[in-house]
């Protein structure tokens, strides 16, 4: 209770605490981003093996693999990462960006995700201040980071992220945290339905699939959290950023137009912006 009163009375301390927590959670997000697609693949293999009545050694229950076990290891030499080697950002700097076992370079995106998580957590804490809104906004921010990077890597958005957070958004808005229950339910329905309609219209006109079903669920999740009023800002903002990045990749790097570009990260970025300044942006646009 003393700590709660202290953080409530000291905004700077709350922002610093949120930043440190964001850095720590960023380290865990790296685990989620790496392992969750592998867990999904193992589950798919197990389901296929069950349907085909064939053994599947990769997904064997004798080899547990989840977000907790086994311990994180270097993929090159198998060196187990100790607690001192897992301190967000600082361990990377101390190790000079190399594995303590084999000296292979550690991809800089690992501390990058930790820093991103810390910075966004600080922005959320500064914007909302101490309270329920800030706590809920931190949770959805970390979920958006994980979903975005997984989509960039694998062009899929796991249901195990979007669906629980969709229900969580509906649940917290029973108490009108970000939107009324009425607006939250309509937001979830309209978010899914809007992209579903765009998907099918695009497929009828071009014969191609313009986006994945994970994008529908991600927008439905954002609608559940922030109400249907956020959807125009999210869709417009995501479309503009996506179009800009796509044109830049084609012009500057010769990106093949036939190669799909994941839309989830742009939805997530637009959702984060909408969470903080969505209503102001919408009012500014309409005026």
């Amino acid at each position: 209770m003393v700590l709660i009163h202290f953080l409530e009375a000291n905004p700077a301390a709350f922002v610093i605490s949120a930043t440190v927590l964001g850095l720590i959670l960023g380290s865990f997000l790296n685990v989620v981003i790496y392992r969750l697609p592998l867990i999904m693949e193992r589950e798919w293999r197990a389901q296929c093996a069950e349907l085909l009545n064939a053994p599947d050694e990769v997904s064997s229950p004798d080899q547990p693999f989840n977000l907790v076990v086994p311990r994180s290891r270097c993929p090159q030499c198998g060196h187990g990462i100790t607690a001192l080697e897992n301190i967000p950002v600082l361990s990377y700097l101390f190790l000079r960006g190399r594995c303590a076992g084999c000296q292979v370079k550690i991809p800089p995106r690992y501390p990058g995700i930790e820093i991103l998580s810390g910075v966004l957590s600080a922005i959320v804490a500064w914007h909302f201040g101490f309270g329920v809104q800030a706590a809920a906004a931190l949770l959805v921010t970390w979920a958006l980071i994980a979903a975005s990077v997984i989509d960039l890597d694998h062009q899929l958005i796991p249901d195990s992220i979007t669906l629980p957070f969709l229900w969580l958004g509906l649940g917290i808005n029973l108490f009108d945290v970000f939107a009324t229950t009425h607006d939250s339910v309509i937001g979830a329905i309209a978010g899914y339905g809007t992209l579903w309609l765009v998907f099918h219209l695009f497929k009828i006109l071009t014969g191609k699939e313009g986006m994945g079903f994970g994008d529908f669920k991600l927008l439905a999740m954002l609608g559940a959290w922030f109400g249907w009023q956020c959807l125009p800002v999210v869709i417009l903002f995501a479309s503009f950023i996506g179009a800009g990045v796509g044109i830049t990749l084609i012009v500057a790097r010769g990106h093949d137009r036939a190669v799909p570009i994941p839309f989830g990260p742009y939805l997530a970025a637009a959702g984060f912006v909408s969470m903080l300044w969505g209503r102001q942006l919408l009012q500014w646009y309409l005026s």
Side-chain angles (χ1 to χ4, degrees), residues 37 40 44 147-158 209-215 255-256 258-265:
M40 295 170 62
W44 295 335
S148 297
V149 182
I150 291 174
D151 196 22
L152 284 172
D153 287 346
H154 303 279
Q155 294 191 358
L156 64 87
I157 303 175
E209 296 182 354
M211 64 183 67
F213 280 63
D215 298 322
H255 184 83
D256 187 353
V259 177
I261 298 175
F263 192 51

Side-chain angles (χ1 to χ4, degrees), residues 2-287:
V2 175
L3 178 60
I4 292 176
H5 289 308
F6 174 76
L7 294 177
E8 189 174 8
N10 295 272
F14 176 57
V15 172
I16 293 172
S17 300
T19 304
V20 173
L21 183 60
L23 290 170
I24 295 171
L25 262 294
S27 180
F28 176 69
L29 290 179
N30 278 318
V31 176
V32 174
I33 290 164
Y34 175 74
R35 293 193 182 189
L36 188 54
L38 295 177
I39 294 170
M40 295 170 62
E41 181 182 349
R42 288 181 174 225
E43 291 175 350
W44 295 335
R45 289 175 61 92
Q47 292 168 3
C48 291
E50 183 178 355
L51 289 172
L52 298 173
N53 196 24
D56 179 20
E57 296 179 359
V58 176
S59 303
S60 171
D62 296 331
Q63 303 174 21
F65 185 84
N66 52 49
L67 298 180
V68 179
V69 294
R71 279 179 53 191
S72 297
R73 298 180 178 275
C74 171
Q76 296 294 327
C77 67
H79 168 72
I81 298 175
T82 65
L84 290 177
E85 296 169 358
N86 205 28
I87 301 173
V89 182
L90 295 179
S91 292
Y92 181 85
L93 296 175
F94 178 77
L95 295 170
R96 297 181 180 179
R98 295 182 179 273
C99 170
C102 63
Q103 298 301 306
V104 168
K105 286 186 177 180
I106 301 171
R109 95 168 197 176
Y110 288 108
I113 290 173
E114 294 168 352
I115 293 171
L116 176 64
S117 177
V119 170
L120 295 186
S121 298
I123 293 172
V124 167
W126 168 79
H127 180 82
F128 289 107
F130 185 85
V132 175
Q133 272 195 326
L138 286 172
L139 289 177
V140 76
T141 297
W142 298 328
L144 291 174
I145 293 173
S148 297
V149 182
I150 291 174
D151 196 22
L152 284 172
D153 287 346
H154 303 279
Q155 294 191 358
L156 64 87
I157 303 175
D159 287 349
S160 53
I161 294 177
T162 53
L163 296 185
F165 272 85
L166 188 154
W167 288 109
L168 180 60
L170 293 173
I172 66 168
N173 282 327
L174 291 173
F175 307 97
D176 297 345
V177 175
F178 292 105
T180 65
T181 304
H182 179 267
D183 291 344
S184 180
V185 172
I186 293 178
I189 297 171
Y192 189 93
T194 300
L195 291 189
W196 180 90
L197 182 61
V198 171
F199 171 88
H200 284 283
L201 288 175
F202 185 82
K203 189 173 182 180
I204 291 170
L205 294 173
T206 66
K208 299 177 182 179
E209 296 182 354
M211 64 183 67
F213 280 63
D215 298 322
F216 311 171
K217 299 168 190 174
L218 180 57
L219 188 58
M221 183 193 97
L222 293 172
W225 274 79
F226 309 118
W228 63 267
Q229 293 89 343
C230 81
L231 297 180
V233 174
V234 172
I235 293 172
L236 287 172
F237 193 74
S239 299
F240 284 136
I241 295 179
V245 171
I247 293 172
T248 302
L249 289 175
I250 292 172
V251 174
R253 298 188 179 182
H255 184 83
D256 187 353
R257 297 183 183 183
V259 177
I261 298 175
F263 192 51
Y266 310 124
L267 286 174
F272 181 79
V273 171
S274 179
M275 174 179 68
L276 301 178
W277 306 290
R279 295 184 185 276
Q280 295 91 321
L281 288 173
L282 184 59
Q283 290 173 0
W284 170 81
Y285 179 79
L286 292 176
S287 63

